[in-house]
Amino acid sequence: MEFRIDCTCGIPLKVSEASAGGAVRCTCGRMVPVPPLTELRVRAGLPPYHISPELLIEHLLRSGELPPDDHCLECGRPTDGLAFVVAECERAWVKGPGFFWYIIAGWVLGPLLAIALWWRRTEEPEYGKDKVYRLPLPVCPECRPNLRPREVREWMCRVGVYEQLLDKFPDASVSLTN
Ligand SMILES: [Zn+2]
Ligand SMILES: [Zn+2]
């Protein structure tokens, strides 16, 4: 598909996906840099598909596009039935010195300063972000009893975007939920 970018001379240019990240020549003679594909897609109001599986899943969950298919994963018949899986890929973590560090600081700097530092600790930024998703699997009521907890991962891999997620986070914990 084609996207539109603007040259500094004001002339709009049509660029293809293939020229993303490169440059095109405007009729005025200037070379105009073309943004990466993700940026072109977002600017055009499209989902940024060429992104990490977790961002894609967040996007699809928000826009109600999951599951991508309404055919039962087991028997292949169309179904409204859903089973939900919680996939914990990564938990948020807070960067900062451990408690032991403050004990030492209390010794060296004095308890009041150590307490002040400990207090400030809670204001430190949180790095990383919870990557925990509740994901719907299309499963008809007849096949639902066949979905056993230890087979959840295998069933998830029948959905492309979930498989990508598990490929990226092989240690993710997955469990059935309501
Ligand atoms: Zn131009
Ligand atoms: Zn079924």
Side-chain angles (χ1 to χ4, degrees):
M1 73 172 285
E2 284 187 325
F3 300 90
R4 211 197 81 164
I5 60 170
D6 292 304
C7 176
T8 48
C9 74
I11 295 177
L13 304 169
K14 280 194 174 151
V15 295
S16 68
E17 285 176 323
S19 52
V24 291
R25 187 175 293 279
C26 175
T27 48
C28 74
R30 289 185 183 89
M31 287 305 287
V32 184
V34 182
L37 185 55
T38 303
E39 197 183 322
L40 286 174
R41 293 184 63 93
V42 171
R43 279 201 212 170
L46 295 168
Y49 275 119
H50 295 264
I51 55 171
S52 62
E54 66 270 31
L55 285 181
L56 179 54
I57 280 178
E58 282 169 25
H59 168 78
L60 294 172
L61 282 174
R62 267 199 306 273
S63 54
E65 292 172 64
L66 288 179
D69 190 280
D70 62 357
H71 289 77
C72 174
L73 290 176
E74 181 80 333
C75 66
R77 281 191 294 248
T79 180
D80 293 334
L82 292 174
F84 286 91
V85 172
V86 169
E88 260 185 55
C89 302
E90 230 170 58
R91 278 288 184 185
W93 49 283
V94 177
K95 190 179 175 139
F99 186 71
F100 187 68
W101 189 89
Y102 293 97
I103 305 274
I104 303 287
W107 233 0
V108 178
L109 306 170
L112 280 180
L113 193 51
I115 289 167
L117 285 171
W118 174 256
W119 202 254
R120 231 196 100 258
R121 169 200 64 104
T122 54
E123 290 168 25
E124 276 171 7
E126 199 175 321
Y127 297 94
K129 187 161 104 86
D130 271 2
K131 288 181 181 170
V132 181
Y133 309 107
R134 182 170 175 270
L135 304 171
L137 295 172
V139 181
C140 76
E142 290 79 48
C143 295
R144 182 63 183 77
N146 300 337
L147 176 56
R148 296 181 217 292
R150 65 171 188 281
E151 288 164 16
V152 169
R153 193 175 288 269
E154 186 202 315
W155 285 53
M156 284 178 76
C157 286
R158 298 174 193 173
V159 180
V161 66
Y162 299 162
E163 187 182 20
Q164 286 174 41
L165 186 74
L166 294 177
D167 274 353
K168 178 162 177 186
F169 300 98
D171 298 328
S173 84
V174 295
S175 52
L176 285 168
T177 183
N178 294 316

